[in-house]
Amino acid sequence: MTRLRCAILDDYFNIALDVADWPKLSDRIDVTVFSHPFTSEQAAANALADFEIVCAMRERTAFPKSLFDSLPKLKLLLTSGMRNASIDMEAAKAKGVAIGGTQYSRDPTAPLTMGLILELTRGIGRENARMHAGEPWQTFAGVEIEGLTLGIVGLGKLGSKMAGIAKAFGMNVIAWSPNLTPEKCKAAGVGYATKEELFAKADIVTIHVVLSERSRGLVGAADLARMKPTAFLVNTARGPIVDEQALLEALQQRKIAGAGLDVFSVEPLPVDHPFRKLDNLVLTPHLGYATEDGLRIHYGQMVEAIDAWTRGGELPRKLA
């Protein structure tokens, strides 16, 4: 059998080879790990030109038609998760590239969202840093979230999970999305609101919709302008769902109390990005899905898929 080359992309944690049974494929596959993001599409094309198999981590590396055109040897592209908005599926199909995904056993993003909410309202990380820096005592008076209203944009699987966590903290929950109905809200035990009502009434707004052409820029300047000056915005979904320039201006002008962001339009977030200079913005580097438990599942299922595919079988979780 001809040996194939497999590229594991964007393994920022250098964990991929440790959490899955890659030696199982050693009789057929040579594996190369890329731990850092490519600086450009051309850099990706140059690096991946000789690989038949690529394992992508979510949307860290985009695969538009132009990149597929630059990779004539590519036959199998695996992505973590069962959807990836950065892959041109039609281009993959046209090139005869098989696309496979991986599943989650759980979704760790909702607990991270609550962590960002607690950081915004109680300053845990801020005060921890001050204590370690030798500051004498506290300077930040927190906000109690019990009794506050959480506005959830998107009441799907993740949004519903977030609603349950928020209610456990004693919060009132309202929700909106373009297709959400009052009946679905009632079934989930949350209040229904129009988009305008949600942004005007919520003390904290959290985003949980899937990125698509319809949701790109879904939260804009007009929505932020409706928020209370004491309100917070949290985004752990995808960066482009929120108009980042409008959010930057709202935070710079203190029109809202603050925001917590785990996702950005450009990732990794450039080191000179103005977001990094704001003291009313909590930033985390897309930690939502990145747990050892989850990565173990993703890479384990990638090994399973490559094993099946190289033996002539069907992909266990085929996307295209």
Side-chain angles (χ1 to χ4, degrees):
M1 174 183 289
T2 303
R3 296 186 66 79
L4 301 176
R5 296 191 65 192
C6 173
I8 300 174
L9 306 188
D10 301 305
D11 180 19
Y12 299 169
F13 305 104
N14 287 306
I15 197 175
L17 297 183
D18 296 328
V19 298
D21 188 14
W22 295 97
K24 178 179 181 178
L25 307 173
S26 61
D27 61 327
R28 290 156 278 161
I29 303 294
D30 294 320
V31 177
T32 301
V33 177
F34 293 87
S35 299
H36 300 286
F38 298 116
T39 55
S40 66
E41 182 181 317
Q42 186 59 54
N46 293 341
L48 301 177
D50 292 327
F51 289 89
E52 292 84 9
I53 304 169
V54 171
C55 298
M57 182 52 60
R58 300 301 295 265
E59 290 108 1
R60 289 177 177 176
T61 296
F63 279 81
K65 179 181 183 301
S66 52
L67 184 55
F68 281 110
D69 290 341
S70 300
L71 302 176
K73 291 187 177 182
L74 182 62
K75 300 301 179 186
L76 175 63
L77 175 59
L78 300 173
T79 178
S80 58
M82 291 303 292
R83 64 168 67 94
N84 189 324
S86 71
I87 296 175
D88 186 328
M89 303 298 284
E90 290 301 317
K93 183 177 180 180
K95 291 291 183 178
V97 178
I99 309 290
T102 65
Q103 298 170 316
Y104 289 94
S105 62
R106 299 178 296 271
D107 193 326
T109 303
L112 178 76
T113 302
M114 182 52 70
L116 289 172
I117 291 171
L118 292 174
E119 175 59 29
L120 287 166
T121 56
R122 299 304 303 272
I124 299 168
R126 180 189 313 183
E127 292 303 303
N128 170 68
R130 293 185 68 260
M131 293 287 282
H132 281 287
E135 296 291 338
W137 208 230
Q138 68 195 57
T139 60
F140 179 74
V143 176
E144 297 180 20
I145 63 172
E146 184 173 356
L148 295 186
T149 295
L150 180 70
I152 300 178
V153 177
L155 197 64
K157 181 180 178 181
L158 184 53
S160 296
K161 184 175 181 179
M162 190 63 220
I165 293 174
K167 288 192 286 185
F169 277 81
M171 301 186 75
N172 304 312
V173 182
I174 57 176
W176 169 85
S177 71
N179 296 324
L180 189 60
T181 63
E183 292 74 23
K184 184 174 181 180
C185 285
K186 184 177 180 180
V190 306
Y192 173 80
T194 66
K195 187 183 185 185
E196 293 76 13
E197 290 170 342
L198 184 141
F199 279 90
K201 292 180 178 180
D203 298 293
I204 301 166
V205 175
T206 180
I207 313 297
H208 297 292
V209 293
V210 173
L211 178 62
S212 66
E213 286 309 307
R214 189 173 66 168
S215 67
R216 191 176 295 271
L218 182 67
V219 178
D223 305 302
L224 298 172
R226 292 187 180 94
M227 294 177 67
K228 304 174 185 177
T230 55
F232 301 95
L233 177 81
V234 176
N235 186 10
T236 57
R238 290 293 184 273
I241 295 169
V242 177
D243 181 334
E244 288 186 344
Q245 183 59 39
L247 178 59
L248 175 65
E249 293 172 4
L251 291 168
Q252 288 174 330
Q253 299 169 22
R254 308 265 173 190
K255 291 182 177 179
I256 62 174
L261 301 179
D262 186 50
V263 290
F264 310 92
S265 292
V266 176
E267 296 183 0
L269 185 69
V271 294
D272 60 348
H273 196 286
F275 276 163
R276 293 181 184 261
K277 300 178 175 62
L278 299 179
D279 62 3
N280 56 350
L281 179 56
V282 175
L283 302 172
T284 51
H286 208 149
L287 299 179
Y289 68 93
T291 66
E292 183 175 330
D293 309 75
L295 293 171
R296 189 179 299 278
I297 292 169
H298 290 318
Y299 289 123
Q301 291 186 359
M302 287 178 179
V303 169
E304 175 190 354
I306 294 170
D307 186 42
W309 183 77
T310 54
R311 294 183 187 277
E314 288 291 320
L315 289 175
R317 289 157 290 272
K318 189 173 182 179
L319 300 186

